[in-house]
Amino acid sequence: MIPPIEVQSVDLVVLSQALHHAEEPAKAIAGTHKILKAGGQLLILDLARHNFQKARELYGDHWLGFAESDLHRWLEEAGFKKIEINIVAREEQPPHFETMLAGGQK
């Protein structure tokens, strides 16, 4: 899936709390790689894997967050380099969502 943006035309793509709504997150990541210029960056801010099933009903989530290993694999398969993934926030209240920041460079 390629967004309706010219290939190799942007320096930065930010997917903020969007990937868990994508039907095929790996294809969404691969699509961002195509629109980035050489040296461009992708930043993903999304949820770590969780078991809060009601998120599907309440928020329309397709995915209940992601494992760091899955994000890393999808970024690598899309062709990203300098991949970094870190937990950047943890909710104190239930359901205790954790937010990850993932990034890579084309």
Side-chain angles (χ1 to χ4, degrees), residues 9-70:
S9 65
V10 297
D11 295 309
L12 174 67
V13 174
V14 178
L15 299 177
S16 180
Q17 298 298 342
L19 203 56
H20 62 265
H21 294 290
E23 288 184 29
E24 299 181 72
K27 284 187 179 182
I29 290 170
T32 68
H33 191 271
K34 290 179 174 135
I35 64 171
L36 283 167
K37 294 176 184 176
Q41 301 251 335
L42 168 63
L43 295 176
I44 299 170
L45 188 66
D46 217 305
L47 298 176
R49 183 172 286 155
H50 61 84
N51 292 315
F52 187 61
Q53 294 290 331
K54 283 193 91 162
R56 296 183 195 280
E57 173 189 334
L58 293 172
Y59 314 122
D61 293 4
H62 284 286
W63 297 85
L64 298 178
F66 302 100
E68 290 182 39
S69 59
D70 289 334

Side-chain angles (χ1 to χ4, degrees), residues 75-89:
L75 287 161
E76 197 169 65
E77 287 173 353
F80 285 97
K81 307 293 182 207
K82 298 182 182 178
I83 298 168
E84 292 188 37
I85 303 172
N86 295 292
I87 299 293
V88 294

